[in-house]
Amino acid sequence: MQVSSLNEVKIYSLSYGKSLPEWLSDRKKRALQKKDVDVRRRIELIQDFEMPTVCTTIKVSKDGQYILATGTYKPRVRCYDTYQLSLKFERCLDSEVVTFEILSDDYSKIVFLHNDRYIEFHSQSGFYYKTRIPKFGRDFSYHYPSCDLYFVGASSEVYRLNLEQGRYLNPLQTDAAENNVCDINSVHGLFATGTIEGRVECWDPRTRNRVGLLDCALNSVTADSEINSLPTISALKFNGALTMAVGTSTGQVLLYDLRSDKPLLVKDHQYGLPIKSVHFQDSLDLILSADSRIIKMWNKNSGKIFTSLEPEHDLNDVCLYPNSGMLLTANETPKMGIYYIPVLGPAPRWCSFLDNLTEELEENPESTVYDDYKFVTKKDLENLGLTHLIGSPFLRAYMHGFFMDIRLYHKVKLMVNPFAYEEYRKDKIRQKIEETRAQRVQLKKLPKVNKELALKLIEEEEEKQKSAWKKKVKSLPNILTDDRFKVMFENPDFQVDEESEEFRLLNPLVSKISEKRKKKLRLLEQQEHREKEEEEEPEGKPSDAESSESSDDEKAWVEEVRKQRRLLQQEEKVKRQERLKEDQQTVLKPQFYEIKAGEEFRSFKDSATKQKLMNKTLEDRLKIEAKNGTLSVSNTTVGSKQLTFTLKRSEQQKKQQEAEKLHRQERKRLRRSAGHLKSRHRRGRSFH
């Protein structure tokens, strides 16, 4: 159990401490309690009060006997019996639960809204019925007089499901694009829905007409608040007949009297996180508002903070146990939180021993004096070699570390590191020297590769800084300090070749400026050799003068380009003459080519034409084939095009076809000659 105090309000965290695994035997549990202080101080109020991974929503039944919670993973609902202080049942579901409502006094009638648009009804025995809504739901409320369920979600319509008739009724058409939350006043039955545009629409279920509209987004903006986006309604709660609290997505809570369209009070959480839930505590006139980081309790009349509670993990839902000072939280962690605040009210009947326990702790208050103590973490204790003192009276556990006597801390630190003071003194002297050096003009440290380019970039940066002092100009990132271009000044493969043709044509005036930079580079290198510790930057010509010289006249630039082209042409001519001399000196040797099997060599021209044809585009080849007659394109009746190709035959296939043709002709000739002989023979027989 952990005790915290804010504004002299004590908060007891009953779920604080290590959770022991189920498979651990009783003997090992007792052994752990003897050894571990945290396990010994732990209070397990309800057995197995946790979820496998995350708890999303938590609620208490009207009779106060059952606590129901939903979580993941896998999606499930767990029901805890407070009279037995243990788990009553667990039911696994098909999909994650957005929210749920207990319709009966106990757990016998429950409605679940799933994230896949399904609405699931459970009875005492288990699953009862399942139906679906047209759009994804976000919240729903139950209207007891008419037995209607009102569903709001990613739609402008509010869907109504009548449980008495068992059918959907005509939906309520709102002016919003989407609705986030809804609530029904238990006194007069007014239905209110919070929209994504930051408005609250109030409807009368009897006439199914809208009776009021509140613009909460406009009223939530105050002089102190900083809002970057449009506030949407994320929480809504009625209290009595006339009071309503509205939570926004930007972290404000607005308290309204239904007779006025202006809020009575606007409370900012100062975190900018959406408000998850709002609850009223009537005995002390308090409002409990929670976002994912903190639960704040403040007076609804003045807005003054009563106390606040900041759990270790993010919050998903908060439930105030009725007529008591107990808070239940659903967190982004397997363990669900249980907090007891005696000021809010007594402990519930099923855990009345908490009152006696807290009274005993308040009767023997522990004096907390922090001036003579030093706060150390576990890592600090490891460095000092004092981990064996954990659990002893020398160390007092507090939050993520320990308090220890300041005299003991200094004594141990001096023994561990006797020269700590000398090192501290040297560090201070070094800092002073560095501060004085920083005021002097420092030498530019140029990289090994592309020194001239680096010097050019440094000069441009200085010019930008000068112009920025005169005019307010946005500073752009520098290439020298950018890690993406780091290799450019380290790897010699990225060295700029100033003798290349592209460089000389693109930078015709670079020669004049580069000469000045080379002079600067020589001066800098000489100064580096002379003075290694203290260096001063040589004064050069200002960049304004250089720019004026380079941009005096356009004719000078054109002449420089022509001059560079002439030089390049002369260099190309010299290279060509050298190549001709080399060609004349070289003796050509005969080259041999291999002919593939089944092909006949004709001439080199055929291979050249083939190579030219292969180099051409598909369109040009198709045109050539269309001219030769090997390709024909025709339009069909449907409107598409039909292409017919005539495949080229190889020489071997042509020879084979010619031989077959000759063979057929020879056979025809033989048949004719045999026919002539038969006819002559018949004539001779008839004559005889």
Side-chain angles (χ1 to χ4, degrees):
M1 183 172 67
Q2 188 184 30
V3 185
S4 59
S5 178
L6 183 69
N7 291 346
E8 298 182 355
V9 177
K10 289 200 174 182
I11 302 169
Y12 297 89
S13 177
L14 305 176
S15 58
Y16 179 79
K18 296 178 181 177
S19 55
L20 299 177
E22 295 177 4
W23 45 263
L24 209 64
S25 63
D26 294 336
R27 188 178 176 183
K28 287 186 177 180
K29 285 180 182 179
R30 285 194 297 270
L32 272 173
Q33 284 177 357
K34 289 176 183 177
K35 291 178 183 178
D36 201 331
V37 182
D38 292 335
V39 176
R40 193 163 59 245
R41 291 177 179 175
R42 182 175 66 98
I43 295 176
E44 193 174 11
L45 197 63
I46 300 173
Q47 192 178 2
D48 300 330
F49 196 66
E50 57 186 19
M51 281 285 168
T53 310
V54 172
C55 181
T56 53
T57 51
I58 188 166
K59 291 183 189 294
V60 180
S61 62
K62 290 178 184 177
D63 58 5
Q65 185 179 351
Y66 302 101
I67 299 170
L68 283 94
T70 59
T72 55
Y73 179 83
K74 300 179 180 177
R76 66 192 66 207
V77 57
R78 284 184 173 178
C79 178
Y80 297 91
D81 191 346
T82 56
Y83 290 177
Q84 303 297 327
L85 298 177
S86 61
L87 180 67
K88 186 169 182 65
F89 65 82
E90 178 185 18
R91 295 172 189 167
C92 287
L93 306 167
D94 295 335
S95 57
E96 292 184 17
V97 176
V98 178
T99 184
F100 70 96
E101 191 73 36
I102 306 167
L103 304 184
S104 59
D105 292 340
D106 54 2
Y107 66 90
S108 59
K109 293 178 184 177
I110 314 169
V111 184
F112 296 96
L113 175 63
H114 293 273
N115 62 356
D116 57 354
R117 298 195 285 126
Y118 272 106
I119 302 156
E120 199 168 309
F121 296 88
H122 280 233
S123 64
Q124 194 169 1
S125 57
F127 171 77
Y128 182 74
Y129 185 72
K130 184 189 278 190
T131 185
R132 216 170 187 185
I133 54 175
K135 296 290 177 108
F136 289 97
R138 293 174 184 170
D139 196 10
F140 72 94
S141 294
Y142 182 58
H143 188 244
Y144 281 91
S146 61
C147 297
D148 287 346
L149 281 172
Y150 288 78
F151 295 93
V152 297
S155 171
S156 61
E157 295 179 335
V158 179
Y159 303 112
R160 297 190 302 145
L161 176 62
N162 188 272
L163 301 184
E164 187 180 6
Q165 301 175 25
R167 66 185 182 91
Y168 282 101
L169 305 177
N170 292 331
L172 306 177
Q173 183 64 47
T174 63
D175 293 340
E178 294 176 6
N179 296 285
N180 289 334
V181 289
C182 65
D183 194 23
I184 293 175
N185 194 303
S186 58
V187 179
H188 46 66
L190 185 70
F191 172 75
T193 175
T195 67
I196 201 169
E197 288 88 1
R199 295 190 180 94
V200 174
E201 294 189 13
C202 297
W203 293 72
D204 189 350
R206 297 169 298 180
T207 59
R208 298 186 297 280
N209 293 324
R210 193 176 73 185
V211 293
L213 180 67
L214 295 173
D215 194 349
C216 301
L218 186 64
N219 294 324
S220 65
V221 180
T222 58
D224 301 330
S225 60
E226 294 182 4
I227 295 170
N228 299 321
S229 60
L230 180 70
T232 61
I233 308 301
S234 59
L236 190 66
K237 189 72 175 178
F238 280 107
N239 181 42
L242 300 173
T243 311
M244 181 179 67
V246 180
T248 64
S249 59
T250 51
Q252 287 89 22
V253 181
L254 294 86
L255 190 65
Y256 280 94
D257 189 320
L258 293 178
R259 295 169 292 185
S260 172
D261 60 347
K262 301 294 180 186
L264 302 173
L265 194 66
V266 179
K267 186 69 180 175
D268 197 345
H269 270 223
Q270 303 294 334
Y271 282 107
L273 299 171
I275 303 297
K276 296 274 186 179
S277 64
V278 180
H279 294 277
F280 288 89
Q281 213 280 341
D282 295 325
S283 60
L284 296 175
D285 290 337
L286 296 178
I287 294 177
L288 283 76
S289 54
D291 56 25
S292 59
R293 189 178 293 181
I294 195 170
I295 303 169
K296 288 195 174 184
M297 305 172 203
W298 42 281
N299 190 285
K300 68 178 182 181
N301 298 318
S302 61
K304 187 180 178 182
I305 284 287
F306 178 71
T307 188
S308 62
L309 173 62
E310 195 166 355
E312 294 179 7
H313 305 279
D314 288 350
L315 291 163
N316 287 327
D317 193 16
V318 177
C319 177
L320 181 63
Y321 197 92
N323 303 319
S324 74
M326 182 171 283
L327 274 174
L328 306 172
T329 61
N331 311 316
E332 285 287 329
T333 183
K335 190 179 283 189
M336 292 179 274
I338 305 175
Y339 299 92
Y340 177 49
I341 307 167
V343 182
L344 294 182
R349 189 174 58 180
W350 49 272
C351 58
S352 56
F353 60 89
L354 287 175
D355 289 329
N356 300 328
L357 185 65
T358 53
E359 282 173 11
E360 286 175 10
L361 290 171
E362 287 176 4
E363 283 174 5
N364 302 317
E366 296 180 2
S367 56
T368 54
V369 182
Y370 301 105
D371 296 336
D372 299 329
Y373 285 86
K374 171 75 177 174
F375 181 78
V376 288
T377 59
K378 199 170 183 179
K379 193 176 180 183
D380 296 334
L381 291 174
E382 287 174 2
N383 295 333
L384 295 171
L386 297 177
T387 50
H388 62 281
L389 294 178
I390 296 174
S392 66
F394 295 100
L395 294 176
R396 193 182 296 272
Y398 182 75
M399 292 181 73
H400 64 284
F402 305 90
F403 276 110
M404 67 180 296
D405 197 304
I406 194 75
R407 292 169 295 176
L408 178 63
Y409 175 77
H410 286 310
K411 197 173 183 179
V412 173
K413 196 171 183 184
L414 191 63
M415 288 170 68
V416 172
N417 191 3
F419 303 104
Y421 178 72
E422 289 296 326
E423 290 176 3
Y424 171 76
R425 188 169 169 274
K426 284 178 183 177
D427 288 338
K428 280 288 180 187
I429 292 166
R430 200 181 295 111
Q431 285 176 10
K432 290 272 185 185
I433 292 166
E434 285 174 1
E435 284 175 5
T436 52
R437 279 181 180 174
Q439 294 172 1
R440 304 177 188 175
V441 179
Q442 295 180 353
L443 180 70
K444 301 164 191 156
K445 291 183 181 178
L446 297 173
K448 293 179 182 179
V449 183
N450 289 328
K451 287 187 178 181
E452 291 188 15
L453 178 62
L455 190 63
K456 177 187 173 185
L457 292 169
I458 290 167
E459 287 175 359
E460 287 177 358
E461 189 66 27
E462 286 177 356
E463 288 173 14
K464 283 178 188 174
Q465 286 178 359
K466 286 176 184 176
S467 63
W469 290 338
K470 295 175 184 177
K471 299 176 183 178
K472 291 183 179 179
V473 183
K474 287 184 179 179
S475 61
L476 297 170
N478 193 2
I479 296 174
L480 288 168
T481 56
D482 200 334
D483 291 335
R484 294 175 294 175
F485 304 97
K486 187 169 64 175
V487 187
M488 191 176 165
F489 302 100
E490 291 176 357
N491 195 345
D493 295 338
F494 291 94
Q495 179 68 43
V496 177
D497 186 11
E498 296 183 1
E499 298 299 324
S500 64
E501 182 181 348
E502 293 85 359
F503 184 85
R504 288 166 68 179
L505 285 174
L506 290 170
N507 303 277
L509 295 175
V510 83
S511 57
K512 291 183 181 179
I513 302 165
S514 62
E515 283 174 9
K516 294 168 187 175
R517 289 206 185 95
K518 281 175 184 175
K519 285 180 184 178
K520 272 195 176 186
L521 278 169
R522 278 188 233 110
L523 286 168
L524 288 168
E525 285 171 3
Q526 289 171 9
Q527 207 159 2
E528 275 180 4
H529 288 300
R530 273 190 264 124
E531 300 175 358
K532 288 185 179 179
E533 291 183 0
E534 296 181 2
E535 302 151 345
E536 292 183 4
E537 187 182 353
E539 291 183 4
K541 204 168 195 180
S543 58
D544 295 336
E546 290 177 7
S547 61
S548 62
E549 284 177 9
S550 62
S551 58
D552 279 338
D553 197 7
E554 285 186 10
K555 290 180 183 178
W557 183 80
V558 174
E559 287 173 6
E560 189 69 29
V561 172
R562 285 174 182 169
K563 188 180 176 183
Q564 291 291 334
R565 283 201 174 166
R566 272 188 239 112
L567 286 168
L568 288 168
Q569 285 170 2
Q570 287 173 7
E571 287 174 5
E572 190 67 29
K573 196 175 180 182
V574 171
K575 285 179 183 176
R576 236 184 280 120
Q577 288 173 358
E578 288 176 357
R579 277 197 221 104
L580 283 169
K581 284 179 184 178
E582 286 177 2
D583 293 340
Q584 287 170 4
Q585 288 174 2
T586 54
V587 179
L588 296 171
K589 293 179 181 179
Q591 291 183 354
F592 296 95
Y593 297 92
E594 186 179 353
I595 301 169
K596 291 181 181 178
E599 289 188 4
E600 184 182 352
F601 175 74
R602 290 184 179 181
S603 66
F604 286 107
K605 289 181 181 178
D606 292 342
S607 61
T609 52
K610 272 185 184 180
Q611 191 64 32
K612 283 180 183 177
L613 191 65
M614 290 301 292
N615 290 336
K616 287 185 178 181
T617 60
L618 178 64
E619 186 183 0
D620 296 337
R621 276 185 277 165
L622 290 172
K623 285 178 181 176
I624 291 164
E625 287 176 2
K627 285 179 184 177
N628 296 335
T630 57
L631 172 72
S632 62
V633 182
S634 59
N635 294 327
T636 62
T637 55
V638 187
S640 58
K641 290 199 173 186
Q642 182 179 356
L643 284 88
T644 309
F645 293 92
T646 306
L647 297 174
K648 291 183 179 178
R649 298 187 181 94
S650 63
E651 296 295 328
Q652 194 173 357
Q653 287 174 341
K654 284 179 181 178
K655 285 178 181 178
Q656 192 175 355
Q657 283 178 356
E658 286 174 3
E660 287 175 358
K661 192 176 180 182
L662 289 168
H663 181 67
R664 282 195 295 272
Q665 288 174 359
E666 185 67 24
R667 286 184 71 179
K668 283 179 183 178
R669 191 174 60 77
L670 287 169
R671 281 196 203 103
R672 284 173 190 163
S673 61
H676 287 302
L677 286 170
K678 281 180 183 178
S679 60
R680 283 178 186 177
H681 183 65
R682 284 172 190 156
R683 285 175 198 163
R685 285 178 69 181
S686 60
F687 180 75
H688 285 296

